[in-house]
Amino acid sequence: KAMCSGRLQTALLGAGYFVYLLVGAAVFQALERTAEKQEKMAAAQMKEAFLQNFTQLSVAEMEQFMKNLIEAIQNGVYPVGNESQFEESNWDFSNSFFFAGTVVSTIGYGTLHPKTAGGQIFCVFFALFGIPLNIVFLHRVGKMLSLLCKKLGKFLYEKGMRKKKIKFLTLLFFLATGILVFLCLPSVFFQITEGWSYSEGIYFAFITLSTIGFGDYVVGKQSDRKYFSYYRVLVAIWILFGLAWIALLFNL
Protein backbone atom coordinates (compact mmCIF):
# COMPACT_ATOMS: atom_id res chain seq x y z
CA LYS A 1 0.00 0.00 0.00
CA ALA A 2 2.84 2.39 0.92
CA MET A 3 4.62 1.47 -2.33
CA CYS A 4 1.50 2.24 -4.40
CA SER A 5 1.12 5.56 -2.58
CA GLY A 6 4.78 6.40 -3.29
CA ARG A 7 4.39 5.56 -6.96
CA LEU A 8 1.26 7.70 -7.20
CA GLN A 9 3.06 10.63 -5.57
CA THR A 10 5.98 10.21 -7.98
CA ALA A 11 3.63 10.06 -10.98
CA LEU A 12 1.77 13.19 -9.83
CA LEU A 13 5.03 15.03 -9.15
CA GLY A 14 6.39 14.06 -12.57
CA ALA A 15 3.17 15.11 -14.31
CA GLY A 16 3.09 18.40 -12.41
CA TYR A 17 6.73 19.07 -13.23
CA PHE A 18 6.27 18.54 -16.97
CA VAL A 19 3.05 20.58 -17.00
CA TYR A 20 4.99 23.38 -15.28
CA LEU A 21 7.62 23.27 -18.04
CA LEU A 22 4.95 23.14 -20.77
CA VAL A 23 3.10 26.15 -19.34
CA GLY A 24 6.38 28.04 -18.94
CA ALA A 25 7.34 27.27 -22.54
CA ALA A 26 3.96 28.49 -23.81
CA VAL A 27 4.20 31.75 -21.82
CA PHE A 28 7.79 32.46 -22.94
CA GLN A 29 6.76 31.81 -26.54
CA ALA A 30 3.79 34.17 -26.28
CA LEU A 31 5.81 36.94 -24.60
CA GLU A 32 8.96 36.82 -26.74
CA ARG A 33 7.98 35.79 -30.26
CA THR A 34 6.57 39.14 -31.44
CA ALA A 35 9.55 41.13 -30.11
CA GLU A 36 11.93 38.68 -31.77
CA LYS A 37 10.14 39.07 -35.10
CA GLN A 38 10.58 42.84 -34.89
CA GLU A 39 14.29 42.40 -34.14
CA LYS A 40 14.69 40.11 -37.15
CA MET A 41 12.94 42.61 -39.44
CA ALA A 42 15.23 45.37 -38.15
CA ALA A 43 18.28 43.17 -38.76
CA ALA A 44 17.09 42.37 -42.29
CA GLN A 45 16.63 46.08 -43.05
CA MET A 46 20.07 46.85 -41.59
CA LYS A 47 21.63 44.18 -43.80
CA GLU A 48 19.83 45.44 -46.91
CA ALA A 49 20.90 49.04 -46.24
CA PHE A 50 24.50 47.92 -45.76
CA LEU A 51 24.57 45.93 -49.01
CA GLN A 52 23.22 48.92 -50.95
CA ASN A 53 25.61 51.51 -49.48
CA PHE A 54 28.66 49.67 -48.12
CA THR A 55 31.05 51.34 -50.62
CA GLN A 56 29.99 54.80 -49.41
CA LEU A 57 30.01 54.20 -45.63
CA SER A 58 32.29 56.28 -43.44
CA VAL A 59 34.45 54.72 -40.73
CA ALA A 60 31.99 55.84 -38.03
CA GLU A 61 29.02 54.35 -39.93
CA MET A 62 30.93 51.09 -40.42
CA GLU A 63 31.70 50.96 -36.70
CA GLN A 64 28.01 51.52 -35.90
CA PHE A 65 27.01 48.76 -38.31
CA MET A 66 29.44 46.34 -36.59
CA LYS A 67 28.01 47.25 -33.17
CA ASN A 68 24.45 46.68 -34.41
CA LEU A 69 25.48 43.36 -35.96
CA ILE A 70 27.14 42.14 -32.75
CA GLU A 71 24.08 43.19 -30.72
CA ALA A 72 21.76 41.31 -33.11
CA ILE A 73 23.88 38.13 -32.83
CA GLN A 74 23.95 38.41 -29.03
CA ASN A 75 20.14 38.56 -29.13
CA GLY A 76 20.01 35.37 -31.18
CA VAL A 77 19.37 37.04 -34.57
CA TYR A 78 21.71 35.87 -37.32
CA PRO A 79 21.20 38.00 -40.46
CA VAL A 80 22.55 35.45 -42.93
CA GLY A 81 20.93 33.73 -45.92
CA ASN A 82 17.66 34.69 -47.54
CA GLU A 83 14.57 36.22 -45.97
CA SER A 84 12.90 32.84 -45.35
CA GLN A 85 15.34 32.23 -42.48
CA PHE A 86 13.92 35.25 -40.68
CA GLU A 87 10.57 33.48 -40.51
CA GLU A 88 12.05 30.73 -38.31
CA SER A 89 11.68 31.67 -34.65
CA ASN A 90 14.07 31.03 -31.79
CA TRP A 91 10.94 31.01 -29.62
CA ASP A 92 9.03 28.18 -31.28
CA PHE A 93 7.62 25.64 -28.81
CA SER A 94 10.60 23.28 -28.98
CA ASN A 95 13.10 26.05 -28.23
CA SER A 96 10.86 27.56 -25.54
CA PHE A 97 10.56 24.19 -23.77
CA PHE A 98 14.33 23.74 -23.99
CA PHE A 99 14.83 27.22 -22.51
CA ALA A 100 12.38 26.49 -19.67
CA GLY A 101 14.30 23.29 -18.88
CA THR A 102 17.65 25.11 -18.79
CA VAL A 103 16.19 27.74 -16.44
CA VAL A 104 14.85 25.33 -13.79
CA SER A 105 17.96 23.14 -14.03
CA THR A 106 20.15 26.29 -13.55
CA ILE A 107 22.28 25.49 -16.64
CA GLY A 108 21.59 28.85 -18.30
CA TYR A 109 23.56 28.70 -21.56
CA GLY A 110 22.93 32.39 -22.24
CA THR A 111 22.40 31.95 -25.98
CA LEU A 112 18.63 32.32 -25.62
CA HIS A 113 17.17 34.72 -23.08
CA PRO A 114 14.04 36.85 -22.66
CA LYS A 115 14.40 40.42 -23.89
CA THR A 116 10.96 41.90 -23.17
CA ALA A 117 10.17 43.30 -19.72
CA GLY A 118 7.27 40.85 -19.37
CA GLY A 119 9.45 37.89 -20.34
CA GLN A 120 12.19 38.88 -17.90
CA ILE A 121 9.78 39.36 -14.96
CA PHE A 122 8.05 36.07 -15.76
CA CYS A 123 11.46 34.36 -15.93
CA VAL A 124 12.24 35.54 -12.38
CA PHE A 125 9.05 34.03 -10.93
CA PHE A 126 9.27 30.94 -13.16
CA ALA A 127 12.78 30.23 -11.84
CA LEU A 128 11.82 31.14 -8.27
CA PHE A 129 9.27 28.32 -8.11
CA GLY A 130 10.74 26.10 -10.83
CA ILE A 131 14.20 25.56 -9.32
CA PRO A 132 12.86 24.14 -6.01
CA LEU A 133 10.38 22.02 -7.99
CA ASN A 134 13.27 20.73 -10.10
CA ILE A 135 15.25 19.81 -6.96
CA VAL A 136 12.27 17.93 -5.50
CA PHE A 137 11.68 16.12 -8.80
CA LEU A 138 15.33 15.08 -9.16
CA HIS A 139 15.39 13.94 -5.53
CA ARG A 140 12.30 11.79 -6.12
CA VAL A 141 13.70 10.24 -9.31
CA GLY A 142 17.02 9.65 -7.54
CA LYS A 143 15.14 7.95 -4.71
CA MET A 144 13.37 5.65 -7.19
CA LEU A 145 16.68 4.73 -8.80
CA SER A 146 18.21 4.08 -5.37
CA LEU A 147 15.46 1.48 -4.79
CA LEU A 148 16.81 -0.32 -7.85
CA CYS A 149 20.22 -0.19 -6.20
CA LYS A 150 18.78 -1.81 -3.08
CA LYS A 151 17.10 -4.55 -5.12
CA LEU A 152 20.35 -5.24 -6.95
CA GLY A 153 22.22 -5.28 -3.64
CA LYS A 154 19.68 -7.65 -2.11
CA PHE A 155 19.99 -10.00 -5.09
CA LEU A 156 23.80 -10.05 -4.80
CA TYR A 157 23.60 -10.54 -1.00
CA GLU A 158 21.35 -13.57 -1.47
CA LYS A 159 24.02 -14.96 -3.79
CA GLY A 160 26.46 -14.85 -0.87
CA MET A 161 28.41 -11.71 -1.75
CA ARG A 162 29.88 -9.53 1.02
CA LYS A 163 28.29 -6.13 1.76
CA LYS A 164 31.40 -4.04 1.00
CA LYS A 165 31.78 -5.74 -2.37
CA ILE A 166 28.06 -5.24 -3.07
CA LYS A 167 28.32 -1.49 -2.40
CA PHE A 168 31.32 -1.18 -4.70
CA LEU A 169 29.72 -3.22 -7.51
CA THR A 170 26.40 -1.34 -7.23
CA LEU A 171 28.13 2.04 -7.50
CA LEU A 172 30.29 0.78 -10.37
CA PHE A 173 27.24 -0.58 -12.22
CA PHE A 174 25.24 2.67 -12.02
CA LEU A 175 28.32 4.76 -12.79
CA ALA A 176 29.17 2.71 -15.91
CA THR A 177 25.54 2.49 -17.05
CA GLY A 178 25.02 6.23 -16.58
CA ILE A 179 28.21 7.14 -18.44
CA LEU A 180 27.09 4.94 -21.33
CA VAL A 181 23.46 6.14 -21.41
CA PHE A 182 23.93 9.83 -20.60
CA LEU A 183 27.40 10.63 -21.96
CA CYS A 184 28.70 8.14 -24.54
CA LEU A 185 25.54 7.36 -26.56
CA PRO A 186 24.17 10.95 -26.62
CA SER A 187 27.58 12.13 -27.86
CA VAL A 188 27.22 9.87 -30.92
CA PHE A 189 23.76 11.35 -31.46
CA PHE A 190 25.15 14.92 -31.21
CA GLN A 191 27.99 13.99 -33.55
CA ILE A 192 25.48 12.91 -36.22
CA THR A 193 22.90 15.66 -35.67
CA GLU A 194 25.16 18.64 -35.02
CA GLY A 195 28.22 17.66 -37.09
CA TRP A 196 30.48 17.94 -34.03
CA SER A 197 33.40 15.64 -33.36
CA TYR A 198 32.83 12.89 -30.79
CA SER A 199 35.08 14.69 -28.28
CA GLU A 200 32.99 17.86 -28.72
CA GLY A 201 29.85 15.80 -28.06
CA ILE A 202 31.37 14.41 -24.84
CA TYR A 203 32.45 17.91 -23.83
CA PHE A 204 28.95 19.34 -24.44
CA ALA A 205 27.27 16.48 -22.55
CA PHE A 206 29.55 16.89 -19.52
CA ILE A 207 29.36 20.71 -19.43
CA THR A 208 25.56 20.45 -19.66
CA LEU A 209 24.94 17.72 -17.07
CA SER A 210 27.38 19.32 -14.63
CA THR A 211 25.19 22.50 -15.03
CA ILE A 212 28.28 24.57 -15.91
CA GLY A 213 26.65 25.59 -19.21
CA PHE A 214 29.29 27.79 -20.86
CA GLY A 215 27.10 28.25 -23.95
CA ASP A 216 29.97 27.73 -26.41
CA TYR A 217 28.21 24.57 -27.67
CA VAL A 218 24.41 24.55 -27.77
CA VAL A 219 22.15 22.16 -29.69
CA GLY A 220 19.93 23.25 -32.57
CA LYS A 221 21.66 26.60 -33.22
CA GLN A 222 23.38 26.04 -36.58
CA SER A 223 21.49 27.87 -39.31
CA ASP A 224 22.92 25.66 -42.08
CA ARG A 225 21.58 22.40 -40.59
CA LYS A 226 18.05 21.00 -40.63
CA TYR A 227 16.82 19.63 -37.30
CA PHE A 228 13.82 17.37 -36.81
CA SER A 229 10.79 18.68 -34.92
CA TYR A 230 11.03 18.64 -31.11
CA TYR A 231 14.75 17.86 -31.26
CA ARG A 232 15.44 20.30 -28.44
CA VAL A 233 12.52 18.91 -26.41
CA LEU A 234 14.20 15.50 -26.48
CA VAL A 235 17.50 17.09 -25.46
CA ALA A 236 15.73 18.86 -22.56
CA ILE A 237 14.30 15.51 -21.37
CA TRP A 238 17.79 13.95 -21.66
CA ILE A 239 19.14 16.78 -19.49
CA LEU A 240 16.50 16.25 -16.79
CA PHE A 241 17.06 12.50 -16.50
CA GLY A 242 20.82 12.99 -16.75
CA LEU A 243 20.65 15.34 -13.77
CA ALA A 244 18.60 12.71 -11.91
CA TRP A 245 21.38 10.17 -12.58
CA ILE A 246 23.97 12.58 -11.17
CA ALA A 247 21.74 13.12 -8.10
CA LEU A 248 21.66 9.31 -7.65
CA LEU A 249 25.47 9.16 -7.77
CA PHE A 250 25.67 11.77 -5.03
CA ASN A 251 23.18 9.73 -2.96
CA LEU A 252 25.21 6.58 -3.45
Side-chain angles (χ1 to χ4, degrees), residues 148-194:
L148 293 176
C149 291
K150 287 181 181 178
K151 286 182 180 180
L152 178 61
K154 188 178 179 182
F155 172 77
L156 294 174
Y157 185 72
E158 288 172 353
K159 294 293 181 182
M161 196 174 287
R162 288 180 300 170
K163 285 187 176 180
K164 282 187 178 180
K165 195 173 182 181
I166 288 171
K167 285 182 179 179
F168 173 74
L169 287 176
T170 302
L171 178 59
L172 185 64
F173 172 75
F174 277 92
L175 180 63
T177 305
I179 288 172
L180 177 66
V181 172
F182 294 109
L183 289 177
C184 296
L185 293 179
S187 297
V188 176
F189 177 69
F190 295 136
Q191 184 181 14
I192 295 167
T193 310
E194 298 287 345

Side-chain angles (χ1 to χ4, degrees), residues 28-36 91 113-116 119-120:
F28 280 121
Q29 185 181 17
L31 291 172
E32 295 295 324
R33 201 164 189 174
T34 302
E36 183 203 34
W91 291 100
H113 53 273
K115 291 173 279 293
T116 65
Q120 290 169 349

Side-chain angles (χ1 to χ4, degrees), residues 5-237:
S5 176
R7 285 177 180 173
L8 180 62
Q9 287 177 0
T10 302
L12 289 174
L13 176 63
Y17 180 70
F18 279 100
V19 167
Y20 188 81
L21 291 180
L22 290 170
V23 170
V27 174
F28 280 121
Q29 185 181 17
L31 291 172
E32 295 295 324
R33 201 164 189 174
T34 302
E36 183 203 34
K37 193 172 183 180
Q38 291 172 350
E39 278 191 15
K40 286 191 172 186
M41 288 174 64
Q45 290 170 359
M46 178 187 71
K47 177 184 175 182
E48 186 179 348
F50 172 78
L51 291 174
Q52 288 176 355
N53 305 305
F54 72 94
T55 56
Q56 302 168 7
L57 292 179
S58 65
V59 174
E61 288 172 331
M62 192 66 184
E63 288 286 341
Q64 187 59 48
F65 170 77
M66 294 300 291
K67 286 179 182 177
N68 292 340
L69 181 62
I70 291 168
E71 186 179 344
I73 292 170
Q74 286 174 342
N75 289 332
V77 177
Y78 302 92
V80 294
N82 53 37
E83 290 183 8
S84 64
Q85 288 183 303
F86 289 97
E87 297 301 317
E88 297 175 7
S89 176
N90 289 321
W91 291 100
D92 59 19
F93 188 77
S94 180
N95 286 336
S96 299
F97 185 88
F98 181 77
F99 173 74
T102 59
V103 168
V104 298
S105 61
T106 70
I107 295 171
Y109 291 115
T111 53
L112 185 65
H113 53 273
K115 291 173 279 293
T116 65
Q120 290 169 349
I121 291 169
F122 176 74
C123 188
V124 170
F125 286 100
F126 180 76
L128 192 64
F129 294 101
I131 291 171
L133 178 61
N134 180 66
I135 293 169
V136 172
F137 174 74
L138 293 181
H139 176 72
R140 174 68 70 167
V141 174
K143 203 172 180 181
M144 284 179 63
L145 292 173
S146 67
L147 291 176
L148 293 176
C149 291
K150 287 181 181 178
K151 286 182 180 180
L152 178 61
K154 188 178 179 182
F155 172 77
L156 294 174
Y157 185 72
E158 288 172 353
K159 294 293 181 182
M161 196 174 287
R162 288 180 300 170
K163 285 187 176 180
K164 282 187 178 180
K165 195 173 182 181
I166 288 171
K167 285 182 179 179
F168 173 74
L169 287 176
T170 302
L171 178 59
L172 185 64
F173 172 75
F174 277 92
L175 180 63
T177 305
I179 288 172
L180 177 66
V181 172
F182 294 109
L183 289 177
C184 296
L185 293 179
S187 297
V188 176
F189 177 69
F190 295 136
Q191 184 181 14
I192 295 167
T193 310
E194 298 287 345
W196 299 336
S197 67
Y198 186 71
S199 61
E200 287 173 324
I202 287 281
Y203 169 77
F204 167 76
F206 177 79
I207 292 299
T208 294
L209 296 185
S210 60
T211 71
I212 295 171
F214 288 127
D216 50 349
Y217 288 85
V218 182
V219 295
K221 295 298 288 182
Q222 299 184 64
S223 57
D224 59 336
R225 299 187 78 89
K226 289 289 181 183
Y227 300 100
F228 61 87
S229 299
Y230 300 106
Y231 165 54
R232 298 189 97 192
V233 171
L234 291 177
V235 175
I237 293 170

